Amino acid sequence: MWILTVDGGGSKTLARLTDTVSGRQWQQQAGPASLTNDFALALHNINQLSAALCRDAGVDSSKLQVVMGLAGAGNPQQQQLAYAQLAPLYQSLLVTTDARTSLYGANLGQPVLVVALGTGSVAMRLLPDGTEQQIGGWGFNIGDEAGGAWLGKLAVRQLLWQVDSLDGVQSPLLQAIAGKIGHSAAQLLPWLKTAEPNDFAALAPLVFQYQRQCAVAASLLQQQTAAVSQLITQGLAHYSLPVVLLGGLAADTLPLLPDSLRAQLQTARGSALDGAFILATQHHTTAETRHDG
């Protein structure tokens, strides 16, 4: 059996093709595949990866059992549209969220709470009876607290306050951000008009970089810590689960968390691609895939 697994996020996409008979694997990376940020680009990158892996392995895509965990797939309209366009290419297809594939990979299909901090943010729990529940992940416009885009947006908001102040931009962090996006309204307004979540998320690493030398950065990271703590606390609720912190901001955020929360964390046992593979083995028939997709 040939299984193609895809992990499509707001910044990059990973894909792995596995021949379950021989055990051979092929893997490649491309640009973002967020269905809600840029649907056309997402499908382009997915198709590009799939075609390249099929060429490498010498197999036709019609023989593949496919599970794709994609950012934005929680939106039913986008998920259904993606499924409709991609399904004819494959033997079977399940389109689900990247949060779900990360959930199954984090503890290799065993009960767990996953808190993912990437361009966006989301918490998901997998309970012993197989129930899956999501907390957060409402998107950049209203939620995704503790994600890179959210943190970058908070930093830009602070920059605008200092641009408007009589003293000008004094914060070392905000000076660094201004160097990237502008020091004045004439520069900032065009940037703000076209800025996407990825653009805000690109600024988030600077907040961590300046935390020891800038009061504004330290204050923003207090908000970051509070947001992550809330995701973990609400995700655990009345359950006793191991907690796995994932995503591009996880390593930098971890040391900021209270000792009581850090004590509950464990290292991920697998990746989103591993989780997608587990789901593929559970949903390998065409009937099951169409029911879920």
Side-chain angles (χ1 to χ4, degrees):
M1 183 166 66
W2 292 89
I3 294 179
L4 173 66
T5 51
V6 179
D7 175 30
S11 303
K12 66 180 180 181
T13 303
L14 295 173
R16 180 189 297 160
L17 180 59
T18 303
D19 178 1
T20 61
V21 175
S22 69
R24 289 195 65 189
Q25 293 184 331
W26 297 261
Q27 185 166 317
Q28 290 204 28
Q29 176 177 324
S34 170
L35 300 181
T36 47
N37 287 354
D38 190 328
F39 184 88
L41 178 62
L43 261 60
H44 170 78
N45 286 332
I46 290 167
N47 287 330
Q48 183 183 53
L49 280 174
S50 176
L53 288 171
C54 286
R55 283 196 301 271
D56 290 346
V59 63
D60 190 88
S61 68
S62 63
K63 297 182 178 180
L64 307 185
Q65 318 256 0
V66 184
V67 172
M68 299 184 181
L70 307 179
N75 180 310
Q77 291 76 24
Q78 298 292 76
Q79 185 263 359
Q80 291 164 15
L81 185 59
Y83 178 84
Q85 295 195 28
L86 294 168
L89 302 174
Y90 305 111
Q91 185 178 110
S92 68
L93 172 65
L94 170 65
V95 177
T96 188
T97 64
D98 56 341
R100 188 181 183 208
T101 52
S102 294
L103 177 69
Y104 275 81
N107 203 24
L108 297 180
Q110 298 302 306
V112 68
L113 171 69
V114 170
V115 177
L117 307 175
T119 302
S121 72
V122 68
M124 285 193 73
R125 57 187 172 227
L126 179 62
L127 300 180
D129 65 0
T131 300
E132 305 165 24
Q133 297 170 326
Q134 179 172 318
I135 302 94
W138 289 104
F140 176 67
N141 288 339
I142 193 65
D144 280 3
E145 295 87 350
W150 175 85
L151 183 58
K153 186 178 181 180
L154 290 185
V156 171
R157 175 65 269 195
Q158 291 302 311
L159 170 61
L160 300 182
W161 281 119
Q162 290 204 1
V163 166
D164 286 341
S165 72
L166 294 177
D167 295 330
V169 180
Q170 299 293 314
S171 153
L173 165 66
L174 301 182
Q175 287 174 350
I177 291 177
K180 293 181 175 295
I181 68 173
H183 293 80
S184 66
Q187 297 170 317
L188 288 164
L189 285 172
W191 186 89
L192 291 168
K193 186 173 183 179
T194 60
E196 300 286 345
N198 281 347
D199 299 313
F200 285 101
L203 304 174
L206 289 171
V207 183
F208 292 94
Q209 180 181 329
Y210 280 87
Q211 63 180 302
R212 300 189 186 282
Q213 62 195 90
C214 178
V216 172
S219 175
L220 291 173
L221 289 182
Q222 287 179 351
Q223 297 179 66
Q224 172 78 1
T225 303
V228 177
S229 298
Q230 183 177 17
L231 271 175
I232 294 174
T233 301
Q234 193 161 336
L236 287 174
H238 304 293
Y239 303 102
S240 178
L241 297 168
V243 183
V244 175
L245 206 60
L246 297 177
L249 296 187
D252 287 331
T253 300
L254 178 60
L256 306 177
L257 296 177
D259 292 343
S260 59
L261 290 182
R262 285 210 308 273
Q264 300 179 69
L265 299 181
Q266 72 173 36
T267 304
R269 296 175 64 197
S271 67
L273 288 178
D274 297 321
F277 189 87
I278 291 170
L279 286 169
T281 62
Q282 295 177 0
H283 299 271
H284 66 278
T285 69
T286 302
E288 285 176 327
T289 303
R290 284 180 177 168
H291 175 73
D292 285 271

